[in-house]
Amino acid sequence: RWLCQHRPHLLKQMSVEARGIDDADTKAKCLSKVRQCKSSLSDLRSEYETENTKFERSALGLGGSSGRGGRRGGGLSDEQRDRLLNTNDQIASQNRTLDNARRIMADTEETAMEITSELARNREKIESAHGRVREVSGLTNRARRIVQSMSRREVQQKLAMYMVSG
């Protein structure tokens, strides 16, 4: 019973754990397994709803043939039973719509978390590259100054040679 009540939370935790894996192949395999589990849970949920509806109909005396005239179990008229069935179907449809919206929201959240982690990794790479660019720029400036200094010394030495020789 505890497992049935907490399965959405367990699937979400599985998804978070899978997204946190660094190795791309292992991460892809784990995320695929999580999607399979979610799909299996969705199928089980649909099957449960179908069986639950059948049970509720049989409990109300609505499960069998509707060919009988007059009143059936519980003293409900055919019109009342039909209205009850329609209401029950509308509620079930609304519940399915809400469940679907929750699943879509969870998938959207999962995608957003993956995008956020990818952006964080990209930001780290960009900051690292920016730091290296600054370092190379500093080295380039230093090399330029050394080359200029060497060029000045060369000119000075040539002037000194012309003055001594001339």
Side-chain angles (χ1 to χ4, degrees):
R1 183 178 191 136
W2 180 88
L3 185 60
C4 290
Q5 291 173 345
H6 291 89
R7 63 182 173 239
H9 301 294
L10 293 173
L11 280 173
K12 189 169 187 166
Q13 183 64 33
M14 286 171 57
S15 178
V16 169
E17 292 292 328
R19 278 185 266 126
I21 296 174
D22 291 331
D23 181 38
D25 291 335
T26 306
K27 181 178 184 176
K29 288 177 185 176
C30 288
L31 286 173
S32 174
K33 189 68 172 177
V34 169
R35 280 188 218 100
Q36 287 175 355
C37 289
K38 285 182 180 180
S39 175
S40 176
L41 175 62
S42 177
D43 293 344
L44 287 172
R45 192 176 287 144
S46 296
E47 186 178 331
Y48 169 77
E49 288 175 7
T50 302
E51 293 300 321
N52 192 33
T53 302
K54 286 180 185 178
F55 174 75
E56 288 173 354
R57 287 174 179 252
S58 68
L60 292 172
L62 304 172
S65 64
S66 58
R68 293 186 213 165
R71 297 180 171 258
R72 282 187 281 198
L76 294 176
S77 71
D78 286 340
E79 183 181 324
Q80 289 172 326
R81 270 190 228 98
D82 288 341
R83 215 176 15 209
L84 181 61
L85 284 174
N86 288 338
T87 303
N88 214 13
D89 289 343
Q90 287 175 352
I91 290 172
S93 174
Q94 290 171 353
N95 284 340
R96 283 191 297 273
T97 302
L98 286 172
D99 288 342
N100 190 34
R102 285 186 192 108
R103 278 191 290 273
I104 290 170
M105 185 178 68
D107 288 345
T108 303
E109 180 182 2
E110 178 182 336
T111 303
M113 293 299 288
E114 289 174 4
I115 290 170
T116 301
S117 65
E118 185 68 28
L119 287 173
R121 284 192 296 274
N122 289 345
R123 180 184 184 116
E124 289 173 9
K125 288 177 185 176
I126 290 170
E127 288 175 350
S128 174
H130 187 65
R132 279 185 257 142
V133 165
R134 273 190 255 148
E135 184 179 321
V136 168
S137 177
L139 291 173
T140 304
N141 286 337
R142 184 174 172 209
R144 184 178 42 81
R145 280 185 252 126
I146 290 172
V147 169
Q148 286 175 344
S149 174
M150 290 171 62
S151 178
R152 270 187 248 126
R153 277 191 221 138
E154 179 187 10
V155 169
Q156 288 173 352
Q157 287 175 355
K158 282 184 181 179
L159 279 175
M161 291 291 276
Y162 285 127
M163 293 178 100
V164 171
S165 68

